[in-house]
Amino acid sequence: RDLHSFPTRRSSDLGNTALHDCAESGSLEIMKLLVSSGARIDVDAYGMTPLLAASVTGHLHIVEHLIGQRDLVGKQERIDALELLGATFVDKKRDMLGALGLWKRAMEERFLDGILVIPKALVSSPISAYENTLEVESVEALEEIISDPDSMRMQALLVRERILGPAHPDTSYYIRYRGAVYADMGHFERCITLWMYALDMQQKILEPLSPMTQSSLLSFAELFSFMMSEGGRSRGGHVPFANLAGGGREGAEIERDEGVRSSPPPVSFCDIMTVFERAVREVRAGQVALETGEAKGGDSTYFNRTIVILLHLVCLFTKLLPHLDKSQVFEVKQAVFNFVGVGARGRGGSTPLHLACSKDSSSVGRYPICVFPSVPAIALLLECGADPNSTDFEGNTPLHTAAVSKPVKPAVIQTLLDAGGHFDHVNLEGKQFAQMLKNQPLHEIANPVRHTSLKCLSARVVRQHNLDSGAALPSTLLQFLSIH
């Protein structure tokens, strides 16, 4: 699934019937044929009827046809469909007057002879992420908010969450989308508040390593990176934040006339720390799911990407460290220590330190965040307990990984060696990191004399002459010999 596109539904996964597919594609004539042939109106895995599916996708003609079938559709279903379609008109079609008309029709359905007979199931307390907005409960109140587009948008979020519920992907998606539009207008605090609300919703409802949760974490990393980049000038101009939430060009162009983009404020330490801790929680839960066999086939890829997103957040931390007080610096190092302590391994058994030494980790989303290998990120991981001599499934240490990330950065190699990286360590093919350097002389990268001990020279001789049978050597030396 494309994490940066409008939510799509896969029939095989969600129990779609042919009527659902017709409703979502706008195929009215085929739908009529199916209904006349006795097709049943069932619900999918999210409890969605074809009528609600048409409302979510914005097919007015399908909705009008189905709500006209009074023998098939009840009063509550008609009300939900009209209200949900109104929310779609607000967020996807950007038609406020059209939404108002649909909501008024739904409101009138709730009354009989001026008496409210079908009240809304309102939330028990206001939601701060929605600016504590409450759903309107009368036609008069609806007519008052048409002059306040922001109130209309909050109404759309409330309607969607009430009808679809937090488990439906559209609920969190449009919360993120609305936050992205606020970011496009320079209202970063409102964006972060909405995105935090969506992330909390996703982690409570969705399974570990859900692509939706991963997409939220990535969007945060991209946003924080932009906010640290002097208004995005280092990237050549404006970044459409609605793209970060999956809105595409539609989001980039929406409501731009309502505010002049301001210079990005500094990233809040609390915000980036909260997202980092949520990402670590996702990795922990994902690791348990993978170890117990509860994860799906493609989840190992999502697991690797989540670790890489965390590494980008580690890199962003290093940019904040000079501006933090001692207690905050301690919090950062404690958080990174906890991340390292999870023991997560990505593709091929790579530890976070391996991934931080890999050029491939630079590419994780559609927009650049941090560049790897990153010396500050590597140094922070090492300071927080990362093992410079850890090996992946091919026996490669972080030094080996850094050696194949062209061009090799001498500072990366030196940082690993200064932290105790073993110069002579060989992988399963018997290669030292120096043997993996191509077209780059070793003396330009590191000083081998400085990092080669008499013990290492002795170990090489023992291995070269096959003297490591084990019988003539203490067992304490066998492990040391094995890495030479």
Side-chain angles (χ1 to χ4, degrees):
R1 173 170 175 166
D2 181 359
L3 302 184
H4 287 75
S5 63
F6 273 107
T8 56
R9 295 156 55 87
R10 288 162 46 183
S11 302
S12 59
D13 292 343
L14 303 179
N16 274 17
T17 64
L19 287 178
H20 283 92
D21 292 336
C22 289
E24 291 168 3
S25 63
S27 305
L28 180 57
E29 294 307 315
I30 298 177
M31 173 175 281
K32 289 179 179 179
L33 178 61
L34 290 170
V35 172
S36 65
S37 300
R40 293 191 308 168
I41 299 181
D42 290 326
V43 297
D44 65 10
Y46 292 113
M48 296 276 286
T49 63
L51 174 56
L52 290 183
S55 297
V56 164
T57 50
H59 291 300
L60 177 60
H61 63 297
I62 299 288
V63 173
E64 294 287 13
H65 173 74
L66 288 176
I67 64 176
Q69 310 298 308
R70 299 285 172 145
D71 55 328
L72 297 177
V73 178
K75 194 175 185 67
Q76 183 65 63
E77 291 178 277
R78 293 197 298 273
I79 293 171
D80 288 346
L82 290 169
E83 289 179 340
L84 192 54
L85 183 60
T88 302
F89 269 52
V90 169
D91 284 326
K92 193 171 183 179
K93 295 181 177 293
R94 308 196 297 278
D95 181 354
M96 299 295 182
L97 288 176
L100 179 65
L102 290 165
W103 285 345
K104 287 175 71 173
R105 286 174 59 186
M107 189 68 73
E108 290 164 357
E109 290 266 6
R110 293 183 178 277
F111 288 82
L112 179 63
D113 297 327
I115 300 174
L116 180 63
V117 292
I118 305 181
K120 290 185 178 182
L122 301 178
V123 294
S124 56
S125 60
I127 299 170
S128 59
Y130 298 161
E131 300 283 291
N132 295 319
T133 303
L134 297 174
E135 274 198 67
V136 296
E137 299 184 72
S138 67
V139 173
E140 293 75 22
L142 274 173
E143 291 174 343
E144 288 179 7
I145 66 171
I146 188 60
S147 59
D148 184 357
D150 205 50
S151 292
M152 291 284 287
R153 295 172 193 126
M154 292 301 104
Q155 290 293 316
L157 296 181
L158 285 163
V159 166
R160 193 175 288 107
E161 185 171 348
R162 171 171 55 82
I163 296 175
L164 297 182
H168 195 282
D170 276 23
T171 302
S172 60
Y173 171 83
Y174 278 105
I175 295 170
R176 291 180 58 214
Y177 174 70
R178 179 52 50 198
V181 173
Y182 284 131
D184 259 344
M185 298 188 294
H187 303 323
F188 292 96
E189 289 186 7
R190 293 199 69 180
C191 170
I192 291 171
T193 299
L194 284 166
W195 282 7
M196 287 289 190
Y197 182 65
L199 179 59
D200 183 62
M201 179 183 294
Q202 290 167 336
Q203 290 195 305
K204 285 180 179 177
I205 299 296
L206 302 177
E207 69 281 359
L209 303 179
S210 163
M212 293 177 62
T213 307
Q214 183 191 96
S215 180
S216 288
L217 296 170
L218 175 59
S219 294
F220 268 117
E222 290 173 325
L223 177 63
F224 292 151
S225 176
F226 180 85
M227 293 171 70
M228 292 181 181
S229 68
E230 297 183 3
R233 285 190 291 274
S234 62
R235 296 188 185 172
H238 171 67
V239 172
F241 289 101
N243 284 350
L244 304 188
R249 290 192 55 81
E250 181 173 12
E253 297 167 358
I254 188 172
E255 302 142 347
R256 193 171 291 170
D257 59 332
E258 293 191 13
V260 177
R261 184 176 184 79
S262 59
S263 297
V267 174
S268 163
F269 169 74
C270 292
D271 288 338
I272 190 170
M273 179 60 73
T274 299
V275 173
F276 186 84
E277 290 174 343
R278 294 289 186 86
V280 172
R281 182 197 304 175
E282 192 70 15
V283 167
R284 279 201 184 99
Q287 183 157 301
V288 170
L290 290 170
E291 290 174 350
T292 58
E294 296 177 2
K296 299 176 183 177
D299 281 353
S300 59
T301 299
Y302 293 136
F303 188 64
N304 187 84
R305 281 173 58 86
T306 306
I307 296 173
V308 173
I309 292 169
L310 265 164
L311 289 177
H312 281 269
L313 292 172
V314 169
C315 192
L316 294 177
F317 268 144
T318 65
K319 298 178 182 180
L320 279 185
L321 284 176
H323 310 287
L324 302 179
D325 60 37
K326 289 184 179 180
S327 64
Q328 291 173 326
V329 171
F330 177 80
E331 282 188 62
V332 169
K333 292 181 179 179
Q334 182 67 54
V336 176
F337 175 81
N338 293 338
F339 168 43
V340 172
V342 173
R345 287 183 175 265
R347 188 179 296 111
S350 297
T351 67
L353 187 57
H354 282 89
L355 294 170
C357 294
S358 172
K359 186 178 181 180
D360 293 342
S361 296
S362 300
S363 301
V364 66
R366 296 173 64 185
Y367 299 100
I369 305 174
C370 297
V371 177
F372 289 92
S374 165
V375 174
I378 291 169
L380 183 56
L381 288 169
L382 288 167
E383 184 181 357
C384 295
D387 181 3
N389 294 307
S390 57
T391 55
D392 63 15
F393 295 158
E394 296 179 353
N396 294 311
T397 68
L399 279 169
H400 289 90
T401 301
V404 297
S405 293
K406 309 298 182 184
V408 179
K409 294 181 179 180
V412 170
I413 301 297
Q414 198 60 55
T415 300
L416 292 167
L417 290 172
D418 289 344
H422 202 89
F423 192 87
D424 286 345
H425 201 300
V426 295
N427 61 17
L428 296 184
E429 293 182 351
K431 291 184 178 180
Q432 302 170 6
F433 93 92
Q435 294 173 286
M436 302 178 75
L437 297 170
K438 293 182 179 179
N439 304 320
Q440 205 161 357
L442 176 59
H443 70 268
E444 293 181 358
I445 305 298
N447 184 349
V449 175
R450 179 184 171 192
H451 299 285
T452 303
S453 66
L454 179 60
K455 186 166 63 172
C456 291
L457 293 173
S458 302
R460 291 185 199 174
V461 173
V462 170
R463 293 300 298 270
Q464 182 180 355
H465 294 282
N466 297 319
L467 301 176
D468 54 340
S469 62
L473 295 171
S475 59
T476 53
L477 290 181
L478 294 179
Q479 176 60 32
F480 182 78
L481 287 169
S482 68
I483 67 173
H484 287 79

